[in-house]
């Protein structure tokens, strides 16, 4: 059975002080929630401080991106080797990386391979844009992103897939739980073809895009939705704790 995961993607928000204050504020509430994995993904510069604050707790830490090479002349970049002592997860191929920073499918694939070989658990993001959905190409786009993202991988250790339709991110217009479920079962079919039935059945699939404390339960009640990748609603401690609590209740 895939584990249920609620992950907060703080994006380019919070200074070091704010990140520490946010994690201190959410820690007691999150600690009480059982039965799911709780992950926070602060900006790079706060990873070390947030990891220290969460040492020994049940709350885990992730990064939001990384470079595909281990080291070298890549000014401004951060490698898997730098992250592996600091956090367990790394978000890769987020639609903002793909569409604002021009990350192509094959680059995302190289990053996924680098993360896995460094022992990091990649949260591979896939999702179609509005025009692609309107043209009936949503499943084809997601399949293409998955194939490229998992290219060359034989043992997808720690893989998590997040389906985030681009039109639902930060817009307040979430997909319906039924649409999310339909895409998740497509993703499981594609995973079965690429990586075999066992991987498909055991990989956690997260929905992302305008998830909040009120709608999270309906998503995680769908059989193939194993949690959520949360942007805006992960930036307020009480909201994120309530969201995680509602997800945990819905799964039991
Ligand atoms: P949102 O962002 O929850 O603010 O829509 C989700 C994401 O981009 O991961």
């Amino acid at each position: 059975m895939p584990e249920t995961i609620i992950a907060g993607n703080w994006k380019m928000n919070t200074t070091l002080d704010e990140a520490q204050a946010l994690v201190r504020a959410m820690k007691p509430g999150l600690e009480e929630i059982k039965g799911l994995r709780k992950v926070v993904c602060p900006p790079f510069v706060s990873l070390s401080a947030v990891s220290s604050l969460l040492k020994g707790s049940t709350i885990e830490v992730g990064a939001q991106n990384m470079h595909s090479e281990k080291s070298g002349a890549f000014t401004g970049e951060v490698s898997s080797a730098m992250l592996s002592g600091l956090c367990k997860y790394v978000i890769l191929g987020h639609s903002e990386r793909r569409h604002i920073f021009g990350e192509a499918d094959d680059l995302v694939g190289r990053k996924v391979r680098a993360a896995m070989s460094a022992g990091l658990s990649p949260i591979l993001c896939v999702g179609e844009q509005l025009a692609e959905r309107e043209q009936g190409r949503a499943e084809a786009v997601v399949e293409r992103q998955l194939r490229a993202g998992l290219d060359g991988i034989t043992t997808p250790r720690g893989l998590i897939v997040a389906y985030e339709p681009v039109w639902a991110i930060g817009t307040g217009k979430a997909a319906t739980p039924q649409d999310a479920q339909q895409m998740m079962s497509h993703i499981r079919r594609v995973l079965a073809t690429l990586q075999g039935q066992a991987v498909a059945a055991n990989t956690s699939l997260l929905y992302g895009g305008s998830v909040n404390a009120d709608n999270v339960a309906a998503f995680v009640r769908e059989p193939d939705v194993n949690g959520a990748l949360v942007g805006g609603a992960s930036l307020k401690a009480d909201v994120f704790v309530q969201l995680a609590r509602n997800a945990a209740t819905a799964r039991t």
Side-chain angles (χ1 to χ4, degrees):
M1 272 287 283
E3 285 191 69
T4 305
I5 302 172
I6 296 294
N9 173 11
W10 297 2
K11 308 193 181 185
M12 196 176 73
N13 295 294
T14 68
T15 62
L16 176 58
D17 284 351
E18 288 165 349
Q20 289 174 292
L22 181 57
V23 84
R24 279 198 183 96
M26 52 177 64
K27 190 176 167 188
L30 286 180
E31 284 281 31
E32 284 171 12
I33 301 168
K34 308 273 184 279
L36 46 75
R37 280 199 244 165
K38 301 149 282 187
V39 182
V40 292
C41 303
F44 285 135
V45 295
S46 299
L47 273 178
S48 176
V50 166
S51 295
S52 301
L53 286 172
L54 293 176
K55 203 162 247 138
S57 87
T58 58
I59 306 154
E60 300 174 299
V61 182
Q64 301 173 15
N65 181 33
M66 60 170 227
H67 197 270
S68 56
E69 296 296 320
K70 278 202 189 102
S71 63
F74 301 103
T75 301
E77 291 293 317
V78 169
S79 74
S80 56
M82 297 172 192
L83 293 180
S84 62
L86 283 179
C87 60
K88 175 170 171 191
Y89 303 88
V90 58
I91 299 171
L92 294 175
H94 189 279
S95 72
E96 286 147 21
R97 300 298 320 170
R98 292 177 189 268
H99 301 299
I100 303 173
F101 300 100
E103 289 194 9
D105 292 341
D106 64 326
L107 174 61
V108 176
R110 291 204 297 281
K111 292 184 177 197
V112 171
R113 291 197 290 280
M116 283 181 183
S117 44
L120 290 161
S121 191
I123 303 176
L124 169 61
C125 298
V126 296
E128 81 287 356
Q129 301 188 73
L130 184 59
E132 293 165 334
R133 173 157 286 260
E134 286 171 349
Q135 293 157 5
R137 292 167 50 219
E139 292 196 352
V141 167
V142 166
E143 177 160 353
R144 188 199 75 218
Q145 292 171 334
L146 280 173
R147 284 183 181 276
L150 298 176
D151 188 36
I153 286 165
T154 45
T155 324
R157 252 189 303 269
L159 176 68
I160 297 162
V161 176
Y163 167 57
E164 300 202 304
V166 180
W167 45 271
I169 296 178
T171 58
K173 280 193 213 135
T176 64
Q178 296 71 33
D179 281 344
Q181 166 58 29
Q182 197 178 331
M183 186 60 85
M184 297 309 191
S185 60
H186 172 64
I187 291 172
R188 267 196 226 285
R189 278 196 300 276
V190 175
L191 282 178
T193 316
L194 297 177
Q195 301 287 340
Q197 200 54 51
V199 169
N202 291 316
T203 299
S204 296
L205 306 185
L206 315 184
Y207 168 75
S210 298
V211 175
N212 57 43
D214 295 328
N215 65 14
V216 70
F219 284 108
V220 300
R221 273 195 208 107
E222 294 293 337
D224 288 304
V225 182
N226 311 116
L229 182 56
V230 184
S234 70
L235 288 169
K236 287 214 170 86
D238 54 340
V239 173
F240 190 60
V241 170
Q242 189 61 47
L243 189 159
R245 197 178 288 133
N246 291 352
T249 310
R251 294 297 284 185
T252 50

